Amino acid sequence: MQNAQILFPVNVPGAFDYAVPIGMELSVGDFVYAPIGKQMKLGVVIGLGTAEVGRELKAIAERKATRPLSPDMVKFVLWTAKYNVASPGQVLRMVIRSYKALDPSPIVNHYLPTGETLRQLTSSRRAVLREGGPFPARASEIASRAGVSAGVVKGLVKIGAMQELAMPVDAPFPVPDPEHPGMALTQGQEDAAKELAAQVKMGGFSVSLLDGVTGSGKTEVYFEAVAEALRQGGQVLVLVPEIALTQAGLERFAKRFGAEPAAWHSAIGDAPRRRVWREVAQGRAKLVVGARSALYLPFADLKLIVVDEEHDTSYKQEEGVIYNARDMSVVRAKLSGHAVVLASATPSLESLHNARSGRFAHIVLPERPGAAVLPEIGLVDLKETPAEKGDFLSAPLIDAIREGLSRGEQSMLYLNRRGYAPLIICRSCGEKLKSPDTDSWLVEHRASGRAMCHLTGFSMRMPTQCPKCKADDSLTAVGPGVERVAEEAARHFPEAKIEIFSSDTAGNPAAIKDRMDRMARGEIDILVGTQMVVKGHNFLNLTFVGVVDGDLALAGGDPRAGERTYQTLVQVAGRAGRAKKAGHALIQTHQPEHEALLALAAGDRELFIGVELAMREMLGLPPFGKLAAIIIWGPDRAKTEALAKKMVSLAPRTDGVEILGPSEPPVGRLRGQYRRRLFIQAESTVNLSRYMAVWRQKIRPPAKYKVQIDIDPQSFM
DNA sequence: AGCACGCCGACT
DNA sequence: GTCGGCGTGCTC
């Protein structure tokens, strides 16, 4: 009697055993329907066997006639679950985002002009014939293009001017052409491109770290690896940070490969989602550009994954199944035996360490083609040259902007804080305005006249009196946000065109592009922005970047703070004078002696990496040791604390594992829940996932209390 | 993820 | 006195 292990895309601890009916042929990866409880559910075969289970099993009802998941994909799902201490069903849920996508694309009528020349047509009919084609389209689509009703299209079929074709709703994606001429490469880029392409050509698992400063042509170089994989008839996945998934980004691919790639992100609509999923599963979508979740698409024949901006924190999924798409990409490539390219101007320390130790091939692109060099970076010691009282821009920053303006050049002020002021305080009673169910401060947004919580999205009209002591006009803005910095800049430079760029003001992708275009055309003199400005724009006339608060990311207990600061500042500084002139950057700081800032000012990346790696090694932090976190959530402060302490007391005793905490995270309350956090630091020889799984099983949190495990935590907020 | 079982407020 | 609210538990 044959049985099968079926994994359902639901949050249960593991797979269930079923009997395989006589005559049913099954393989690992097959989709099947099987009875579970009172319902019939779709699942995936993850194992087959003949061993007696010792109890009566229900039988599989039906094998679904659809392309099975590849056995590699099944392994990848299970591996993801095990490593991240999640249930495999929950991971499968990420793969099967839509059940309908498993069925073939529905067939509907499409319409195309026959080319028949007819006289005496109404204007509506002429419009339809003009707008129809060159490809067959749905009647409604042609009708809306022509500004008429769909009936007109069908009417034209009757008189033979249009033909009706039964076609799948999902149009196939255009096939990218690897031989489509791309941009000319410099010798250095050519060499790097050849090396990457050779890795792909050779086949088998490999990881390459493509390391090149802003403007070194990284994208063009990895395009050659993409081309090689396409030449072999395989599929390619390019992961990009969520924010980089713009029309402009997709157009770069279109330019190189003559066809726009299939795009994937979490907010994609239902119909396009099904289309991409189906075409990917059938192996017909050859080139997919997507955000992190695209890694869980069921590729039929994946040959290459590129992780662009591999250091970007948005690769970490922080909800549901907590995983890091960059790390999981390497796992997926290993399981399927293909190449991965990790690309970045500021690679993560983990990747640099892997490159240094020879686990990754390290391909360093020569600096920018042509004469341009990285901008000069200086530090402004705020202890010596503070800003005017109540202001945030010191004299050196203001002077630099003035100089730029006098030469007709652009400046950028960088501050990673949205809104007007990060804190609203009452001058008469000292009350700090907080979000109702959080400990986080409300941020004043003067442009919209509101007080907002950036964590929960809570927002209210900016009060005119203190909610506690009822004093009128006593609420004061404390600290700078981009709006306030822009206001200050406007005071200094009343004639300058100043714009704010943050997620509040950005708007939709089109509005973002518009603003970036205006910046590129020189229509903005001073751009004040949060980290949103940091992503890959080329501003020819930008020659100065002022970092308003270089200390921002240095504070707090985040062991990655130094790295983050360095990455951000390098990228921000890289905006300055990217093409023609060597621009300059100034960083305001209270800690000019901080190693990260000194290395930055010296323009010495190797020094920075060396210092930082040495510090990590000394502290046993990644990449030299392992790190995990446990977040305990609950509605009652004391009980949450008690549960956290109980977790600590239940921790399995093992050598090489140290438990830190419980501590209160920076935001102790979130969404009305109290939170406590533990950090688990382990030596590299410890199987930390298994340790965490064993530990997790020892406790059953009471109702409404949650224990969340985060392997390799990135966020310390 | 569903679906059922189970213990507390507004209805014929 | 019931109908039903959704909170918790189980599914091979």
Side-chain angles (χ1 to χ4, degrees):
Chain A
M1 178 69 168
Q2 207 192 20
N3 53 45
Q5 288 168 278
I6 308 297
L7 187 61
F8 294 98
V10 297
N11 190 9
V12 292
F16 290 166
D17 294 314
Y18 284 86
V20 180
I22 313 245
M24 187 184 280
E25 286 285 320
L26 282 184
S27 316
V28 168
D30 279 337
F31 287 94
V32 293
Y33 287 104
I36 173 164
K38 303 229 158 163
Q39 16 162 8
M40 191 63 77
K41 250 188 129 26
L42 182 78
V44 172
V45 178
I46 64 160
L48 291 159
T50 48
E52 279 301 320
V53 183
R55 64 168 187 266
E56 195 72 15
L57 294 180
K58 289 190 184 176
I60 293 169
E62 184 194 336
R63 180 181 164 278
K64 189 170 174 67
T66 190
R67 196 184 178 108
L69 287 185
S70 71
D72 295 343
M73 191 67 198
V74 173
K75 274 191 220 150
F76 182 51
V77 166
L78 300 178
W79 206 99
T80 299
K82 200 164 223 164
Y83 182 80
N84 295 293
V85 199
S87 79
Q90 230 183 330
V91 180
L92 185 62
R93 189 77 250 244
M94 305 197 301
V95 176
I96 308 168
R97 295 278 297 268
S98 152
Y99 289 96
K100 269 197 202 157
L102 286 161
D103 296 318
S105 177
I107 307 287
V108 294
N109 285 329
H110 286 63
Y111 298 85
L112 189 67
T114 52
E116 191 106 354
T117 39
L118 292 158
R119 281 145 200 268
Q120 290 190 329
L121 287 168
T122 63
S123 64
S124 300
R125 287 185 160 186
R126 264 187 278 122
V128 165
L129 291 180
R130 194 173 58 239
E131 297 296 331
F135 305 109
R138 310 272 294 264
S140 55
E141 200 199 315
I142 296 172
S144 84
R145 282 204 299 246
V148 302
S149 77
V152 183
V153 179
K154 286 170 190 169
L156 284 163
V157 175
K158 287 204 188 91
I159 62 165
M162 288 200 97
Q163 54 184 316
E164 197 173 68
L165 304 152
M167 289 173 63
V169 262
D170 290 348
F173 286 96
V175 179
D177 173 13
E179 314 309 338
H180 192 90
M183 239 199 250
L185 299 183
T186 63
Q187 191 56 50
Q189 291 169 346
E190 185 79 48
D191 294 344
K194 281 207 176 112
E195 205 175 329
L196 283 183
Q199 290 278 17
V200 174
K201 200 165 189 174
M202 198 164 54
F205 172 62
S206 67
V207 189
S208 307
L209 176 61
L210 179 59
D211 183 349
V213 297
T214 314
S216 61
K218 263 190 320 290
T219 314
E220 285 70 27
V221 169
Y222 75 61
F223 276 172
E224 296 316 303
V226 172
E228 185 54 42
L230 292 174
R231 256 174 231 129
Q232 299 187 5
Q235 292 171 291
V236 177
L237 170 63
V238 179
L239 290 180
V240 297
E242 188 101 23
I243 195 159
L245 202 60
T246 58
Q247 194 54 39
L250 296 176
E251 271 159 21
R252 290 185 84 172
F253 285 87
K255 264 201 188 128
R256 172 59 183 84
F257 298 106
E260 213 167 269
W264 178 272
H265 52 93
S266 56
I268 191 173
D270 285 348
R273 159 174 287 146
R274 287 193 294 267
R275 175 180 176 222
V276 174
W277 203 95
R278 285 181 187 122
E279 295 298 303
V280 164
Q282 299 297 324
R284 288 193 297 253
K286 295 295 185 193
L287 179 54
V288 179
V289 177
R292 60 175 179 251
S293 58
L295 187 60
Y296 290 87
L297 282 169
F299 287 91
D301 183 23
L302 192 56
K303 280 265 177 3
L304 171 68
I305 302 174
V306 177
V307 185
D308 200 3
E309 310 294 350
E310 66 90 25
H311 64 278
D312 197 284
T313 51
S314 75
Y315 285 120
K316 182 80 193 235
Q317 167 89 34
E318 299 279 7
E319 265 170 35
V321 180
I322 298 174
Y323 67 94
N324 186 324
R326 183 241 295 157
D327 298 343
M328 293 302 110
S329 295
V330 175
V331 171
R332 179 152 195 193
K334 182 156 196 179
L335 291 172
S336 304
H338 66 246
V340 188
V341 175
L342 307 179
S344 177
T346 54
S348 63
L349 276 177
E350 279 85 349
S351 295
L352 283 167
H353 177 67
N354 280 324
R356 285 183 167 196
S357 65
R359 289 180 52 196
F360 295 177
H362 197 183
I363 299 170
V364 183
L365 285 173
E367 291 194 356
R368 300 173 189 188
V373 287
L374 273 173
E376 196 179 296
I377 302 166
L379 301 179
V380 176
D381 186 348
L382 288 174
K383 287 174 292 188
E384 296 199 345
T385 44
E388 299 271 312
K389 197 166 160 32
D391 282 0
F392 302 95
L393 300 176
S394 64
L397 254 72
I398 296 165
D399 292 344
I401 297 170
R402 182 174 297 119
E403 235 172 86
L405 279 172
S406 71
R407 285 198 300 262
E409 294 167 0
Q410 294 169 298
S411 296
M412 181 184 285
L413 289 171
Y414 172 80
L415 175 67
N416 208 7
R417 274 210 209 105
R418 297 155 52 198
Y420 184 83
L423 171 62
I424 304 160
I425 195 163
C426 171
R427 264 179 286 126
S428 66
C429 74
E431 169 79 355
K432 295 166 184 153
L433 264 56
K434 284 184 179 176
S435 192
D437 50 4
T438 315
D439 278 348
S440 70
W441 294 334
L442 287 180
V443 176
E444 181 179 352
H445 284 245
R446 199 159 281 190
S448 58
R450 302 190 76 80
M452 289 172 42
C453 171
H454 289 172
L455 281 159
T456 59
F458 169 84
S459 153
M460 63 189 231
R461 270 246 294 287
M462 184 63 199
T464 51
Q465 58 170 218
C466 171
K468 192 160 173 215
C469 72
K470 308 291 176 204
D472 282 318
D473 300 320
S474 68
L475 296 172
T476 312
V478 177
V482 282
E483 288 180 17
R484 196 170 192 178
V485 167
E487 188 183 278
E488 196 180 323
R491 218 174 59 229
H492 288 291
F493 308 106
E495 72 295 341
K497 277 162 288 178
I498 300 172
E499 288 216 23
I500 298 170
F501 192 77
S502 76
S503 53
D504 300 303
T505 61
N508 55 40
I512 294 173
K513 188 176 183 304
D514 175 64
R515 184 165 316 208
M516 290 297 112
D517 286 350
R518 279 189 293 126
M519 182 71 186
R521 287 199 301 267
E523 290 169 25
I524 299 169
D525 296 319
I526 304 170
L527 188 65
V528 183
T530 64
Q531 63 186 4
M532 285 194 80
V533 299
V534 178
K535 317 275 176 177
H537 301 287
N538 201 354
F539 303 131
L540 302 181
N541 202 34
L542 173 67
T543 55
F544 172 69
V545 171
V547 178
V548 178
D549 188 353
D551 302 330
L552 207 55
L554 298 174
D558 186 342
R560 294 182 210 270
E563 182 186 5
R564 285 283 142 65
T565 311
Y566 182 83
Q567 286 166 349
T568 308
L569 296 186
V570 166
Q571 293 216 352
V572 171
R575 292 309 111 213
R578 185 157 164 184
K580 296 187 288 204
K581 299 151 263 199
H584 63 128
L586 286 175
I587 300 162
Q588 297 192 143
T589 176
H590 288 98
Q591 308 169 61
E593 66 288 346
H594 193 286
E595 288 155 324
L597 294 178
L598 284 175
L600 193 63
D604 191 339
R605 190 176 88 161
E606 288 306 305
L607 175 72
F608 169 79
I609 295 162
V611 167
E612 195 76 355
L613 280 175
M615 195 190 79
R616 297 266 187 103
E617 186 163 23
M618 200 177 74
L619 298 174
L621 289 168
F624 301 97
K626 294 177 180 174
L627 205 56
I630 298 182
I631 315 273
I632 295 113
W633 301 66
D636 180 272
R637 173 183 283 249
K639 283 180 186 152
T640 306
E641 176 79 33
L643 181 58
K645 291 212 167 108
K646 194 169 172 209
M647 283 298 300
V648 175
S649 71
L650 285 170
R653 305 262 147 197
T654 317
D655 281 344
V657 177
E658 197 185 342
I659 290 142
L660 312 156
S663 63
E664 191 171 348
V667 180
R669 259 176 100 199
L670 193 62
R671 275 166 250 163
Q673 301 267 301
Y674 289 88
R675 309 196 303 161
R676 284 295 181 275
R677 184 173 54 180
L678 307 176
F679 280 116
I680 297 86
Q681 203 179 325
E683 287 171 15
S684 56
T685 48
V686 174
N687 183 339
L688 190 54
S689 300
R690 200 173 58 199
Y691 177 90
M692 298 303 291
V694 169
W695 189 1
R696 177 71 184 75
Q697 277 210 312
K698 289 170 120 182
I699 197 150
R700 220 188 136 80
K704 296 186 173 166
Y705 287 78
K706 208 165 86 178
V707 171
Q708 196 179 26
I709 292 171
D710 183 354
I711 301 288
D712 306 328
Q714 296 283 323
S715 164
F716 295 81
M717 291 307 281

